[in-house]
Amino acid sequence: MDNLIRLTHKEQKEAAKLFAETWKSKGYEKGECQPFWLSLLRDVLGVKYPEQYITFESKVKLDNTSFIDGYISDTHILIEQKSLGKNLRQPIKQSDGTKLSPFQQAKRYSSEMPYSERPRWIVISNFEEFHIYDMEKPRGEPEVIFLKDLPKEYYRLQFLINSESEHIKKEMEISLKAGEIVGEFYEELLNQYKDKTSERALKSLNMLCVRLVFCLYAEDAGIFGTHGKFHDYLKRYEAKDIRGAIKELFKILNTKEEERDPYLDEMLLSFPYVNGGLFADEQIEIPNFTDRLRSLILKNASEDFDWSEISPTIFGAVFESTLNPETRRSGGMHYTSIQNIHKVIDPLFLNELKEEFSNIKLITVEKTRIKKLIEFQEKLSSLNFLDPACGSGNFLTQTYIEIRKLENEVLKAISGKQMFLDTGSIIKVKINQFHGIEINDFAVTVAKTALWIAESQMMKKTEEIMAINLDFLPLKSYPHIVEGNALQIDWEEVIPKGKLSYIMGNPPFIGKKEQTKEQKAELIVLFEKKIKGIGNLDYVVGWYKKAVEYMQKTQIAGAFVSTNSIVQGEQVPILWKELLKLGVIINFAYQPFKWESEIKNKAAVHCVIIGFSCINKKEKFLFANDSQVKKVENINPYLLDAEIVIIENRNYHIQNKPSMIYGNMPIDDGNLILSKEEVEELLKENPKNEIFIKKYMGGNELINNKKRWCLWLKDANPKLLRESKLISERIMKTKIFRDNSNRPQTKALADTPYLFGEIRQPNTQMLVFPKVSSENRKYIPLDFVTPEIIVNGSALIIPNVGLYEFGVMISNVHMAWMRIVCGRMKSDYQYSGSVVYNNFIWCNPTDKQKEKIELTAQGILDARNLYPESSLADLYDELTMPPELRKAHQQNDKAVMEAYGFPVKSGFTESMCVAKLMEMYKEKIEELEK
């Protein structure tokens, strides 16, 4: 933004130190809030006019008019300021009598704001602490920054000023517009092919579009010499003659100047030799052009649009999506934004390189500084990068741009102080340092073209810095993008591992249910044996296995974007035990975050980023989001700052606690399940049928108070069953369904078609868990259910337990454990008895502590009963949770934490709680294995 002074690391560090000293032991909420934040923004973060950047005391209408302490619209940040010494986690009594923590208070303000203005982050401060809440994870714990640590952690507050750059927004708009233009002439060209469905026609069309785009870019970027040269060449021809003119042009662009026919048209001969193989295939099928096509290219694509300002990173993905039949059919495009690419490449290598460059610039002795800068440029030119699932090359292209930016900064620093033997020796970073593997042939072509465009753009920047002219054509560098299946080819054939520096990328998001037989077979081959549970792994794990094997006995570091399922639930023991045997170490990671990767239909995929190698780096970084990062000693496979622990899938509880079982499974094709209308129909047939009708409950019914019924015919009198025509029909339909099944176990159930396929109904009170629950709830809503209600398989059951078990299971301790080790269904929690419950370590309370937990657990049930018309979904919505219920949970949480011996204070975070539970788990397993 224009209102920003670019401060160096040293300047910010000194400013942060002075700010921390100035505000030490100071801070009154009303009188000093504004000077505190204005000074922080101006002096530490470099906002030139902070009073124009942040607003104070904005009105928000609740039951009465309240005021938001601070709001930054550019970055969507809401600030709730408290006085020095105030406990930021302690509930405070509100004007309506409810008790809310400062965060809950801020969330209530947020809910009343216009949707477009709702905060991305909420910051709670008491002058000596900043608690930062990421509203993408409203149930997550805050990142905490202390004022005293600001001199070394000031960078963690950069999110206050780092909104998406206007430059990137502009590049995005231009690139998307370019995609629309390509899509228009793609459709019109396709209609001109004789057989528009043939493989040859489609491949020819794709290649034709790539060449046309390169020509359009080349004329705007000055690569062809004069501006508009391609346009002027085509304009001379009528639509019926353009086909021949384009064929002639492509041939010329692929012919060296000294080998051309000197009698050809002079304008044609004036086009430069391109090289690089882009125009090499003369066999592509080019259709006839129409008047509309001629107009689309000459006016829409050439006269009305400037291609020189497109982002090759963004446009490569847009271009591939526009022309790739698969993405066209799906109605949207998968694309990794520049911001998300930086989440991978910055901590992997770019931050270190930038820091190294900054330190070199601080050297005061000029001769030494110049020598170090030249060595740094040589280092940049020695680095090699591999994306083994490169798609349209956006990771490689953005990395090339960033490395060349650094090189240009070096050139700027040594300009006039260093002699170059020739202009060709100025640029040392080449695109042949960037290697990719991609299975789609068209994506390979797009990736190469995107890199060439990036090379052209960065060369222009170098020309401006050095005040010289450089020749882009003929192409001298060749992007090393290989077409092939990355899980089948030898990566050393792409680049020997002794030469490689970094592996990075975004391998395919394909879950176990979506994989083809061939893809599942690839994973079995990669893992060399059919390890138990390999069929439950995501396809992306293949890239991890290949990468870690490739890294052996090297300094190579890598980072992949992955679905969050590989660090949760059943996949962790299957995958990470294998990788840990190979010596993998996680050096940085982004904990699960929402990945929006489509332009047309934004995908709500939850992802992680894992930076790994076989080298144990001293400094490891754990990111909660873009701005919240902390240095840690260790990162385990659950992406926690905790020792390495693998939570196994078990069919028993490691402490011999009450068993958790699945609900009953009808396996009936719906014939034994009843709606309200069907119940009425059965009772109308014969009121005696009532004895066969039971309430039927799963997770959805439990949470949302929905009503369903079933036919429960266990121990039923056959005579009475035969007397009911409706019941007999349903039993017969169940028998036919089971008889026709291809599954032997289902077929065997046809002998007893009147019974549920799997019966596990207890004859005592049970505690019922929904298997799937929204991530937006702090607590999974559990409840007691009587044996008269038939519980189905979408819920889990612990029979014959009481208030103590309920209190522990619904506590924040158990919920913290669940959030880390459970699987996910999309983003929702997917509870598992074998992974979550059977490995959960229970406390050993004294009689008094147990009695207190029973008391607070009853308090939760009592608070629920105050609202008999409300479902559990209503009661556990964070915006509508009644104050009595919230208070009851807080008291129960405290009682359970005391029983565990955990500190009941603000500094004990959820991550710390899980780390402690994992320690206890490890101790228990070691005890069992003795």
Side-chain angles (χ1 to χ4, degrees):
M1 65 184 179
D2 295 334
N3 188 17
L4 189 63
I5 303 167
R6 298 292 177 188
L7 299 172
T8 65
H9 292 301
K10 187 177 180 181
E11 288 170 336
Q12 278 194 289
K13 189 172 183 178
E14 288 299 319
K17 183 179 178 183
L18 181 60
F19 179 84
E21 289 172 353
T22 302
W23 285 95
K24 183 180 178 181
S25 304
K26 289 168 69 175
Y28 173 59
E29 178 182 343
K30 296 300 180 187
E32 294 178 308
C33 170
Q34 295 187 21
F36 177 80
W37 283 97
L38 290 171
S39 175
L40 177 66
L41 290 167
R42 180 183 59 249
D43 303 330
V44 180
L45 298 176
V47 179
K48 213 182 303 182
Y49 306 110
E51 63 279 0
Q52 298 173 10
Y53 186 67
I54 183 172
T55 58
F56 297 102
E57 300 296 323
S58 301
K59 289 182 181 180
V60 61
K61 188 71 178 173
L62 301 173
D63 293 333
N64 57 344
T65 300
S66 296
F67 297 89
I68 297 170
D69 292 330
Y71 181 73
I72 301 175
S73 59
D74 280 15
T75 45
H76 286 250
I77 291 165
L78 188 150
I79 296 163
E80 178 63 24
Q81 185 68 42
K82 298 300 176 187
S83 294
L84 183 69
K86 290 285 186 182
N87 186 330
L88 296 181
R89 295 178 189 261
Q90 190 74 37
I92 300 167
K93 192 170 184 179
Q94 306 296 302
S95 57
D96 61 0
T98 62
K99 285 189 175 182
L100 297 176
S101 70
F103 175 54
Q104 290 164 346
Q105 184 181 345
K107 276 209 302 184
R108 191 160 69 162
Y109 293 159
S110 170
S111 67
E112 296 302 318
M113 295 171 72
Y115 191 81
S116 62
E117 296 176 14
R118 288 187 183 179
R120 170 67 172 80
W121 286 283
I122 289 176
V123 181
I124 312 298
S125 175
N126 62 1
F127 293 92
E128 61 183 354
E129 294 177 37
F130 300 89
H131 289 209
I132 303 161
Y133 293 84
D134 178 5
M135 297 313 290
E136 288 290 342
K137 298 187 289 186
R139 296 274 52 79
E141 63 191 62
E143 286 294 316
V144 179
I145 302 173
F146 293 94
L147 179 70
K148 62 182 175 62
D149 295 331
L150 206 59
K152 61 182 179 182
E153 295 192 337
Y154 63 87
Y155 62 91
R156 292 174 65 189
L157 291 177
Q158 285 295 121
F159 74 101
L160 293 170
I161 59 171
N162 282 355
S163 59
E164 185 181 37
S165 95
E166 291 303 316
H167 178 64
I168 289 176
K169 283 183 182 176
K170 184 180 177 184
E171 284 186 335
M172 171 75 82
E173 289 168 7
I174 292 170
S175 300
L176 290 176
K177 178 63 178 173
E180 289 174 14
I181 291 169
V182 173
E184 284 187 85
F185 64 69
Y186 176 95
E187 291 290 350
E188 189 67 20
L189 277 166
L190 178 62
N191 290 330
Q192 306 315 309
Y193 279 89
K194 300 294 184 186
D195 182 1
K196 64 178 72 175
T197 61
S198 72
E199 185 178 349
R200 180 169 183 259
L202 291 173
K203 285 197 171 187
S204 295
L205 173 57
N206 285 338
M207 181 54 72
L208 176 58
C209 287
V210 169
R211 292 181 180 183
L212 291 173
V213 165
F214 184 86
C215 290
L216 289 162
Y217 171 79
E219 70 170 357
D220 284 343
I223 293 170
F224 281 165
T226 57
H227 184 80
K229 187 164 188 170
F230 177 60
H231 170 276
D232 294 345
Y233 170 73
L234 289 185
K235 191 175 182 181
R236 303 186 306 166
Y237 297 93
E238 297 298 322
K240 63 184 178 60
D241 300 316
I242 284 183
R243 177 177 183 270
I246 283 178
K247 290 183 78 170
E248 285 295 312
L249 176 61
F250 289 172
K251 188 174 180 180
I252 279 290
L253 293 173
N254 193 51
T255 306
K256 293 179 181 178
E257 291 172 17
E258 63 271 20
E259 296 175 3
R260 295 175 179 178
D261 180 351
Y263 296 101
L264 287 174
D265 176 79
E266 282 189 16
M267 188 171 190
L268 197 58
L269 286 172
S270 68
F271 279 92
Y273 169 51
V274 172
N275 199 8
L278 185 57
F279 296 93
D281 183 4
E282 297 180 16
Q283 303 304 313
I284 72 165
E285 185 180 347
I286 300 177
N288 290 319
F289 277 59
T290 62
D291 288 333
R292 183 167 187 271
L293 255 175
R294 182 178 183 274
S295 176
L296 281 173
I297 291 176
L298 291 178
K299 181 162 176 44
N300 299 41
S302 184
E303 294 171 14
D304 296 345
F305 190 75
D306 182 359
W307 293 80
S308 64
E309 294 188 39
I310 64 169
S311 159
T313 304
I314 299 168
F315 180 62
V318 175
F319 192 27
E320 184 202 347
S321 174
T322 303
L323 306 190
N324 188 330
E326 287 186 21
T327 52
R328 287 170 67 78
R329 277 196 298 272
S330 69
M333 59 164 285
H334 291 275
Y335 139 76
T336 310
S337 70
I338 289 175
Q339 292 88 341
N340 281 337
I341 290 170
H342 277 276
K343 288 178 183 177
V344 174
I345 67 175
D346 286 4
L348 181 59
F349 57 82
L350 197 54
N351 288 341
E352 287 182 12
L353 290 174
K354 286 181 176 179
E355 189 68 27
E356 184 178 349
F357 177 61
S358 295
N359 291 335
I360 292 171
K361 286 199 299 180
L362 294 174
I363 297 172
T364 54
V365 180
E366 184 176 275
K367 185 178 178 181
T368 306
R369 184 174 69 253
I370 298 299
K371 179 176 178 290
K372 290 290 185 183
L373 285 168
I374 293 169
E375 289 173 356
F376 182 68
Q377 186 186 17
E378 291 290 343
K379 176 179 178 176
L380 295 178
S381 70
S382 71
L383 299 175
N384 280 280
F385 304 86
L386 171 65
D387 182 346
C390 71
S392 54
N394 50 2
F395 273 87
L396 295 173
T397 306
Q398 189 60 32
T399 299
Y400 169 79
I401 289 169
E402 293 297 335
I403 298 298
R404 281 285 285 113
K405 278 180 182 177
L406 271 175
E407 183 178 36
N408 278 342
E409 288 296 316
V410 171
L411 293 174
K412 189 186 296 183
I414 63 177
S415 179
K417 302 179 178 70
Q418 170 68 15
M419 291 293 293
F420 295 94
L421 296 175
D422 61 77
T423 55
S425 67
I426 292 175
I427 299 173
K428 296 186 180 299
V429 174
K430 310 293 184 184
I431 55 175
N432 60 14
Q433 296 170 231
F434 299 83
H435 308 261
I437 306 172
E438 171 55 39
I439 199 168
N440 180 282
D441 62 335
F442 179 61
V444 169
T445 305
V446 172
K448 290 180 179 180
T449 308
L451 274 165
W452 277 323
I453 291 174
E455 184 180 38
S456 162
Q457 291 179 340
M458 296 313 298
M459 189 176 285
K460 289 288 182 190
K461 301 288 185 186
T462 305
E463 287 179 333
E464 293 169 11
I465 291 167
M466 304 301 290
I468 56 172
N469 292 319
L470 298 169
D471 293 324
F472 178 63
L473 295 178
L475 297 172
K476 303 174 189 67
S477 298
Y478 300 88
H480 289 199
I481 313 293
V482 174
E483 182 185 337
N485 185 324
L487 298 189
Q488 294 180 6
I489 68 175
D490 184 354
W491 292 6
E492 289 225 56
E493 292 178 4
V494 180
I495 176 172
K497 66 182 183 180
K499 293 183 178 180
L500 188 65
S501 311
Y502 300 102
I503 302 170
M504 61 204 176
N506 182 5
F509 292 178
I510 305 176
K512 62 182 181 181
K513 292 180 181 178
E514 291 79 30
Q515 288 167 37
T516 64
K517 289 181 180 178
E518 292 76 17
Q519 288 167 337
K520 286 188 178 291
E522 286 171 2
L523 294 184
I524 291 171
V525 170
L526 275 176
F527 284 86
E528 297 173 354
K529 56 183 178 178
K530 193 167 182 179
I531 59 173
K532 188 177 180 183
I534 194 168
N536 295 323
L537 294 175
D538 284 3
Y539 193 46
V540 71
V541 305
W543 276 261
Y544 279 90
K545 182 69 159 51
K546 288 271 286 192
V548 175
E549 286 179 338
Y550 181 73
M551 288 173 173
Q552 298 297 300
K553 298 180 181 178
T554 73
Q555 299 290 314
I556 299 169
F560 287 142
V561 181
S562 316
T563 43
N564 61 348
S565 48
I566 71 165
V567 296
Q568 294 168 336
E570 62 184 352
Q571 293 200 45
V572 175
I574 304 167
L575 169 64
W576 288 95
K577 282 173 76 173
E578 294 295 313
L579 296 183
L580 289 167
K581 286 177 189 175
L582 293 169
V584 76
I585 294 166
I586 301 175
N587 290 311
F588 74 87
Y590 270 82
Q591 293 172 330
F593 65 97
K594 191 176 289 186
W595 178 274
E596 294 181 345
S597 58
E598 291 187 14
I599 298 299
K600 292 181 183 176
N601 304 313
K602 289 195 173 182
V605 182
H606 282 70
C607 295
V608 293
I609 294 171
I610 303 175
F612 59 98
S613 69
C614 295
I615 304 298
N616 191 6
K617 292 193 173 184
K618 288 183 180 178
E619 288 191 338
K620 297 180 174 66
F621 295 92
L622 195 56
F623 296 81
N625 57 41
D626 297 348
S627 63
Q628 298 173 12
V629 55
K630 58 184 178 182
K631 291 180 185 177
V632 296
E633 291 185 6
N634 191 57
I635 302 174
N636 73 13
Y638 296 92
L639 306 190
L640 285 177
D641 175 16
E643 59 182 315
I644 303 296
V645 173
I646 301 291
I647 311 299
E648 300 280 1
N649 194 322
R650 302 178 193 279
N651 59 11
Y652 64 93
H653 197 287
I654 58 176
Q655 289 178 296
N656 294 321
K657 292 298 179 183
S659 295
M660 175 176 278
I661 59 176
Y662 280 98
N664 305 278
M665 301 290 285
I667 314 177
D668 65 332
D669 199 30
N671 292 301
L672 300 178
I673 312 304
L674 305 171
S675 66
K676 182 181 179 182
E677 292 73 22
E678 288 167 332
V679 168
E680 291 171 352
E681 191 178 1
L682 279 169
L683 294 175
K684 187 177 179 182
E685 180 194 46
N686 186 348
K688 292 181 180 179
N689 286 341
E690 186 178 8
I691 62 171
F692 304 127
I693 299 169
K694 298 282 188 180
K695 284 184 179 178
Y696 184 66
M697 175 183 287
N700 188 29
E701 289 77 23
L702 176 72
I703 293 173
N704 294 294
N705 201 23
K706 291 188 175 180
K707 306 298 182 186
R708 283 211 293 170
W709 293 263
C710 69
L711 285 172
W712 188 253
L713 307 177
K714 190 172 179 287
D715 302 324
N717 186 326
K719 180 176 183 296
L720 294 177
L721 295 182
R722 293 184 68 230
E723 286 177 358
S724 170
K725 180 184 176 184
L726 293 177
I727 292 176
S728 296
E729 285 176 354
R730 287 177 173 271
I731 294 172
M732 178 55 71
K733 287 179 181 178
T734 303
K735 178 175 176 57
I736 292 169
F737 165 72
R738 292 176 179 177
D739 271 330
N740 291 335
S741 174
N742 293 323
R743 184 171 175 264
Q745 299 94 320
T746 302
K747 211 177 241 319
L749 296 174
D751 292 340
T752 53
Y754 50 90
L755 295 178
F756 270 43
E758 296 175 15
I759 296 177
R760 288 178 283 267
Q761 183 72 7
N763 56 9
T764 62
Q765 175 179 268
M766 60 199 118
L767 187 57
V768 177
F769 287 64
K771 281 174 68 176
V772 178
S773 178
S774 169
E775 66 160 346
N776 294 321
R777 298 189 185 104
K778 186 175 180 181
Y779 307 93
I780 293 180
L782 321 177
D783 208 356
F784 288 108
V785 172
T786 59
E788 291 76 29
I789 298 173
I790 307 303
V791 178
N792 69 33
S794 67
L796 297 160
I797 302 167
I798 306 180
N800 199 26
V801 290
L803 287 170
Y804 167 68
E805 288 81 8
F806 171 71
V808 173
M809 286 289 95
I810 205 163
S811 72
N812 60 346
V813 175
H814 175 247
M815 294 300 161
W817 172 263
M818 177 277 301
R819 266 187 273 280
I820 294 298
V821 303
C822 78
R824 299 274 177 147
M825 182 174 286
K826 296 182 180 178
S827 62
D828 292 339
Y829 305 127
Q830 189 167 21
Y831 197 95
S832 161
S834 57
V835 176
V836 183
Y837 176 76
N838 287 342
N839 291 301
F840 176 65
I841 298 292
W842 288 67
C843 52
N844 293 307
T846 62
D847 290 344
K848 187 175 180 181
Q849 287 172 334
K850 185 175 181 181
E851 185 180 331
K852 187 174 181 181
I853 292 171
E854 289 173 338
L855 189 65
T856 56
Q858 183 61 55
I860 292 172
L861 297 176
D862 292 343
R864 289 179 182 178
N865 290 335
L866 294 173
Y867 300 88
E869 301 302 317
S870 295
S871 67
L872 291 175
D874 300 326
L875 293 171
Y876 283 88
D877 185 314
E878 276 299 301
L879 291 176
T880 59
M881 191 176 196
E884 301 92 343
L885 182 58
R886 192 183 298 279
K887 182 178 179 181
H889 270 285
Q890 290 168 348
Q891 291 174 339
N892 184 70
D893 291 344
K894 183 180 177 183
V896 173
M897 289 180 73
E898 286 172 347
Y900 274 91
F902 294 164
V904 184
K905 60 181 183 181
S906 62
F908 191 72
T909 65
E910 193 166 282
S911 291
M912 292 176 185
C913 174
V914 179
K916 189 64 181 171
L917 289 171
M918 285 187 170
E919 280 181 35
M920 296 164 67
Y921 167 85
K922 189 176 181 182
E923 289 171 6
K924 183 63 181 177
I925 296 303
E926 288 172 353
E927 177 190 318
L928 292 173
E929 290 175 350
K930 283 180 182 178

